[in-house]
């Protein structure tokens, strides 16, 4: 972790020593504390990507708001998508405390320079996809994000607490959609199984590359931003899914999935990491569509930003006149 040799100890500045002490004590780093540039950079990278994922993540589900099968389903889906907008805003605010502006982050996203979660580059052709996203995608998000509530950077950790509470509701609503379909007609059961087949593997990819190919993990764990490795969390997620799949009556689409008593781990088929790399490099099924939609929304919203800026300018002009 932050263990140092005697030589390094001599070279450490008081600021560095104070930072290391916060990390060692499992305490929180706050915006005004000194922090290494690389720590700041890593947090900006992870938090902004996380925020972008929430914002782009509104699209696959937004696709179904007008077609939800009942008024109740529509109201629930609208609330969920609104929650995701809120998560994006908390995360952008947390990233802003590190010295990047919201405009810069937005620009990085719409220019295609910033990553967002691979999972949102897959299509949502049926209503059952809303169930599979809630159960699998939000389920994976919870596994990944609960440990982030203890991340060493205070504003990120605090944002994650509220986000996780809402993600639990999202996961349950997805489970309930699938349960309802699985108790329906043969066609509905088939639709639910088909959605699970399509979302299962991409949801496992959400945890990131295998540990031996994850360039950021070791340092992020030493800094206590990440508390568990990508593979550890992926294993935990599979362990959570297996009994839930049984209750639902769906089959997880991996013939090699079984608990290995000797290793104490789930044996699985090989994840298709080529597909993951393709999606990350912008060649997934919906990458172009998702980014274009985000760019269009940004352009369509230009008048709102201009009006808000003009209103703020007038307010400040009036305030200055009042003082004079
Ligand atoms: N997709 O060294 P690694 C949600 C990148 S939102 C895309 O392991 P790290 C929801 C990674 O960024 C879910 N890129 O990285 C929203 C890195 O590239 P750079 C989003 C990925 O950061 C709406 C490179 O691969 N959740 O749940 O240590 C509706 C090497 O990876 C992915 C978060 O963002 C991926 N799947 O670990 C419903 C959680 N995986 O940046 C639901 C916060 C890896 O070096 N983030 N990459 O160019 C994290 O926990 C970590 O950033 C990750 C990756 C575990 C994702």
């Amino acid at each position: 972790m932050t263990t140092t040799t005697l030589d390094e100890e001599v070279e450490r500045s008081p600021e560095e020593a104070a930072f290391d002490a916060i990390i060692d004590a499992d305490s929180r780093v706050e915006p005004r504390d000194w922090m290494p540039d690389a720590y700041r950079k890593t947090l900006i990278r992870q938090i902004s990507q996380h925020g972008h994922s929430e914002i782009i993540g509104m699209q696959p589900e937004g696709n179904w708001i007008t077609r939800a099968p009942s008024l109740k389903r529509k109201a629930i889906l609208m609330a969920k998508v609104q929650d995701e907008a809120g998560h994006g805003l908390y995360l952008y605010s947390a990233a802003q405390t590190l010295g990047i502006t919201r405009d810069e982050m937005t620009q990085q996203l719409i220019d295609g320079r910033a990553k967002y979660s691979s999972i949102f580059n897959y299509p949502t052709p049926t209503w059952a996809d809303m169930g599979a996203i809630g159960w699998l995608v939000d389920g994976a998000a919870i596994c990944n994000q609960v440990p982030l509530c203890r991340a060493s950077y205070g504003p990120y950790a605090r944002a994650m607490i509220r986000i996780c509470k809402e993600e639990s509701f999202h996961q349950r609503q997805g489970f309930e959609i699938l349960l309802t379909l699985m108790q329906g007609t043969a066609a509905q059961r088939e639709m639910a199984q088909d959605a699970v087949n399509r979302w299962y593997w991409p949801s496992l990819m959400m945890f990131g590359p295998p540990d031996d190919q994850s360039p950021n993990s070791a340092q992020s764990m030493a800094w206590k931003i990440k508390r568990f490795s990508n593979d550890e969390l992926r294993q935990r997620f599979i362990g959570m899914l297996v009994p839930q799949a049984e209750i639902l009556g769906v089959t997880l689409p991996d013939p090699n999935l079984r608990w290995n008593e000797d290793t104490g781990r789930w044996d699985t088929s090989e994840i298709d990491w080529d597909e993951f790399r393709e999606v990350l490099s912008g060649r997934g099924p919906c990458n172009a569509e998702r980014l274009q939609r985000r760019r269009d929304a940004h352009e369509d919203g230009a008048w709102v930003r201009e009006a808000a800026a003009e209103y703020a300018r007038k307010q400040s002009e009036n305030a200055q006149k009042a003082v004079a």
Side-chain angles (χ1 to χ4, degrees):
M1 313 288 270
T2 50
T3 319
T4 50
T5 64
L6 203 57
D7 285 349
E8 285 168 335
E9 190 70 55
V10 173
E11 282 169 21
R12 272 197 314 174
S13 66
E15 290 91 349
E16 280 172 288
F19 172 82
D20 287 351
I22 293 175
I23 302 291
D24 288 346
D26 229 340
S27 189
R28 297 281 172 273
V29 178
E30 296 298 338
R32 291 198 181 122
D33 292 335
W34 182 92
M35 61 188 87
D37 282 348
Y39 177 81
R40 186 184 297 276
K41 225 172 131 190
T42 291
L43 282 168
I44 290 177
R45 177 185 66 78
Q46 178 165 327
I47 302 173
S48 64
Q49 286 177 6
H50 194 166
H52 297 328
S53 305
E54 298 282 356
I55 297 299
I56 296 280
M58 294 164 74
Q59 292 187 31
E61 292 168 303
N63 182 30
W64 275 92
I65 289 177
T66 54
R67 292 178 289 156
S70 69
L71 183 60
K72 186 176 143 207
R73 294 286 185 201
K74 184 170 172 148
I76 294 170
L77 189 60
M78 277 173 69
K80 178 179 193 275
V81 173
Q82 281 177 350
D83 283 352
E84 280 146 16
H87 298 174
L89 298 186
Y90 310 151
L91 288 161
Y92 285 147
S93 298
Q96 280 175 274
T97 65
L98 291 154
I100 186 167
T101 65
R102 176 102 172 261
D103 281 349
E104 282 173 287
M105 287 184 273
T106 305
Q107 205 55 48
Q108 287 172 356
L109 175 63
I110 61 183
D111 287 352
R113 282 180 287 138
K115 287 194 175 75
Y116 58 86
S117 183
S118 51
I119 194 75
F120 301 115
N121 293 303
Y122 292 87
T124 46
T126 73
W127 171 250
D129 290 316
M130 299 305 97
I133 289 184
W135 182 45
L136 295 170
V137 176
D138 291 290
I142 292 170
C143 274
N144 168 264
Q145 293 173 16
V146 166
L148 291 174
C149 297
R150 293 189 294 120
S152 57
Y153 188 57
Y156 191 29
R158 289 189 287 274
M160 290 318 305
I161 293 171
R162 178 147 182 195
I163 291 177
C164 283
K165 284 186 184 156
E166 293 175 350
E167 294 292 7
S168 303
F169 152 69
H170 295 174
Q171 199 257 358
R172 282 172 204 190
Q173 70 84 40
F175 184 87
E176 199 263 338
I177 289 176
L178 289 180
L179 192 63
T180 306
L181 289 172
M182 290 305 289
Q183 290 167 351
T185 63
Q188 286 173 318
R189 285 196 294 279
E190 201 180 307
M191 185 166 75
Q193 181 63 57
D194 171 65
V196 169
N197 292 349
R198 285 182 288 105
W199 289 93
Y200 176 71
W201 290 106
S203 74
L204 296 186
M205 294 175 197
M206 282 176 73
F207 296 91
D211 292 350
D212 57 2
Q213 292 162 44
S214 164
N216 301 302
S217 277
Q219 183 59 73
S220 287
M221 286 175 75
W223 278 327
K224 297 183 181 165
I225 297 171
K226 284 169 89 160
R227 297 283 177 158
F228 299 96
S229 77
N230 298 355
D231 287 332
E232 280 169 340
L233 291 174
R234 202 174 353 257
Q235 279 281 321
R236 189 179 286 195
F237 177 55
I238 294 171
M240 187 185 96
L241 289 184
V242 168
Q244 294 184 3
E246 248 174 67
I247 296 169
L248 285 173
V250 296
T251 307
L252 296 174
D254 181 358
N256 296 313
L257 179 61
R258 63 186 60 86
W259 178 251
N260 185 328
E261 281 294 345
D262 298 334
T263 59
R265 292 171 62 84
W266 292 96
D267 287 338
T268 69
S269 304
E270 188 60 33
I271 294 176
D272 184 353
W273 292 113
D274 287 342
E275 175 182 318
F276 177 71
R277 280 186 286 272
E278 280 292 290
V279 173
L280 253 60
S281 57
R283 291 187 292 272
C286 299
N287 291 57
E289 180 187 327
R290 300 284 185 248
L291 263 191
Q292 191 53 51
R293 183 112 181 252
R294 184 67 195 86
R295 278 187 203 116
D296 292 346
H298 188 66
E299 277 166 30
D300 289 348
W303 69 271
V304 179
R305 292 190 297 279
E306 280 161 25
E310 182 57 17
Y311 179 73
R313 192 191 63 75
K314 279 191 185 154
Q315 290 288 97
S316 119
E317 207 176 79
N318 290 344
Q320 274 169 4
K321 273 188 204 151
V323 173

